[in-house]
Amino acid sequence: MRIGMLTAGGDCPGLNAVIRAVVRTSRAEFDTPVLGFQDGWAGLVYDRAVALYDDEQLDRLLRRGGTVLGTGRLAPETLRESLTEIRATLARHGIDVLIAIGGEGTLTAAAWLQENGVPVVGVPKTIDNDVAATDVTFGFDTAVAIAADAIDRLHTTAESHERVMLVEVMGRHAGWIALHSGLAAGAHMIVIPEVPFDIDAVCKVMKRRFQMGENYGICVVAEGAVPAEGSGMSLGSGGVDEFGHERFTGVAAAMAAEITVRLDRDVRTTVLGHTQRGGTPTARDRVLATRFGVHAARLANSGTHGVFVALRGEEIIPVAIAEASRELKTVPPEMYSEAASLFG
Ligand code: F6P
């Protein structure tokens, strides 16, 4: 038995913890070597193999952010056109099962490969926490901690200058990071992609704060948030990138321009961007990533594939890999309404 492994898509704190756990478990429980492929799917297409050993260096990966295997995206058409090369690489190295660690796009590609005879076990990752069928993905807790810390810090500077502060966090289709960091750090308003916003309603919340004697306001905005139709505001279009992902034009900056005019107040925007994906994972993410790695290794080494590991309650279970791309996990309206009861 030989296991192959790659990380694909955007990086995420905890990827290295999965890599470490897969290698250690494969070695300790099955005496199986693990071969890594660098730079995502490209590593298979262009045969960028690297041996991973259960040594001191690997053991230190637990705390390290990013991915030592490197990562990247590959357009779905390129992947499909490269099936022959992918099969050849796996055969050349005698790989029996591939462990693919990635988000919805990676798991969709993994499902397609599995359908086409390449045995794959998936491990879900994304700071956005929008992969269906798992309670949570590693990376999310770290991103929320980073965003909450940043919002905490903005309170004092916003108050000192009597400003409205808009904080843009990641979250293309799902507002999990915005919701959790906003709640944790006591934001006065939270705007998420699932609930199109009315700029007048945002202004009203901020205006009321000033009327009530407060002298600042903080609104957390997910990058994928959109104005409600007919609400008097629209966003520019940035088109899509080569992978079909929408290029955002800066929703928080656009909102700031509107709020400045409507409230005649000093408004500032902070875009947290990739800081949310950088650095060491939180303890919670290290534990989840490690448990995912142990279970993925056990499945792959026992010849089970076509599944990905998912957290359900306290348990890690295998779920059919096609389930990962069936739907995105978005914030339910009831949960947003809990947060909304604290706005203002
Ligand atoms: O991993 C998901 C994500 O962090 C999104 O929230 C964000 O829009 C995107 O990745 C950014 O990706 P890139 O690294 O390509 O800029």
Side-chain angles (χ1 to χ4, degrees), residues 145-268:
I146 293 167
D149 178 62
I151 300 162
D152 276 349
R153 288 167 192 281
L154 289 171
H155 278 276
T156 54
T157 173
E159 190 169 22
S160 305
H161 288 267
E162 306 196 355
R163 282 173 172 156
V164 172
M165 289 279 193
L166 297 172
V167 191
E168 187 174 302
V169 298
M170 281 187 171
R172 292 199 146 255
H173 310 287
W176 293 108
I177 298 176
L179 186 79
H180 282 243
S181 62
L183 280 175
H188 308 115
M189 175 94 200
I190 301 169
V191 175
I192 61 173
E194 293 87 338
V195 182
F197 66 88
D198 179 345
I199 192 68
D200 282 327
V202 177
C203 288
K204 210 164 147 192
V205 168
M206 294 301 153
K207 196 170 173 185
R208 202 172 54 228
R209 281 187 58 74
F210 289 103
Q211 282 167 347
M212 301 291 284
E214 297 290 348
N215 65 355
Y216 76 105
I218 295 183
C219 175
V220 180
V221 185
E223 63 183 349
V226 286
E229 239 171 83
S231 64
M233 185 185 156
S234 59
L235 297 176
S237 162
V240 291
D241 67 14
E242 57 189 305
F243 309 107
H245 298 158
E246 186 183 348
R247 276 199 202 95
F248 294 125
T249 53
V251 59
M255 289 172 76
E258 294 286 339
I259 297 171
T260 307
V261 173
R262 290 165 198 237
L263 293 190
D264 193 22
R265 286 248 161 218
D266 219 8
V267 184
R268 291 291 186 277

Side-chain angles (χ1 to χ4, degrees), residues 52-73:
L52 296 168
Y53 300 104
D54 181 8
D55 57 13
E56 206 184 312
Q57 215 186 347
L58 189 108
D59 203 32
R60 294 210 176 104
L61 290 187
L62 183 60
R63 288 174 287 280
R64 193 160 141 191
T67 162
V68 284
L69 285 177
T71 188
R73 298 191 171 93

Side-chain angles (χ1 to χ4, degrees), residues 2-86:
R2 275 170 80 85
I3 303 293
M5 177 162 56
L6 58 81
T7 52
D11 77 327
C12 169
L15 286 171
N16 282 325
V18 180
I19 293 170
R20 167 183 177 264
V22 167
V23 176
R24 297 204 77 167
T25 303
S26 298
R27 171 63 68 202
E29 294 187 5
F30 305 92
D31 200 22
T32 301
V34 180
L35 200 65
F37 291 93
Q38 293 176 310
D39 312 324
W41 298 113
L44 282 184
V45 178
Y46 305 110
D47 195 354
R48 297 181 193 148
V50 51
L52 296 168
Y53 300 104
D54 181 8
D55 57 13
E56 206 184 312
Q57 215 186 347
L58 189 108
D59 203 32
R60 294 210 176 104
L61 290 187
L62 183 60
R63 288 174 287 280
R64 193 160 141 191
T67 162
V68 284
L69 285 177
T71 188
R73 298 191 171 93
L74 199 67
E77 318 79 70
T78 315
L79 184 92
R80 285 163 206 262
E81 285 159 12
S82 308
L83 185 58
T84 311
E85 287 83 354
I86 290 172

Side-chain angles (χ1 to χ4, degrees), residues 70-132:
T71 188
R73 298 191 171 93
L74 199 67
E77 318 79 70
T78 315
L79 184 92
R80 285 163 206 262
E81 285 159 12
S82 308
L83 185 58
T84 311
E85 287 83 354
I86 290 172
R87 282 199 178 124
T89 300
L90 293 171
R92 198 174 303 121
H93 296 287
I95 301 297
D96 300 287
V97 182
L98 177 74
I99 295 181
I101 313 165
E104 193 253 334
T106 303
L107 296 174
T108 304
W112 183 83
L113 285 173
Q114 175 76 31
E115 270 169 35
N116 285 275
V118 177
V120 190
V121 169
V123 177
K125 68 91 222 177
T126 167
I127 64 163
D128 289 2
N129 195 33
D130 58 1
V131 174

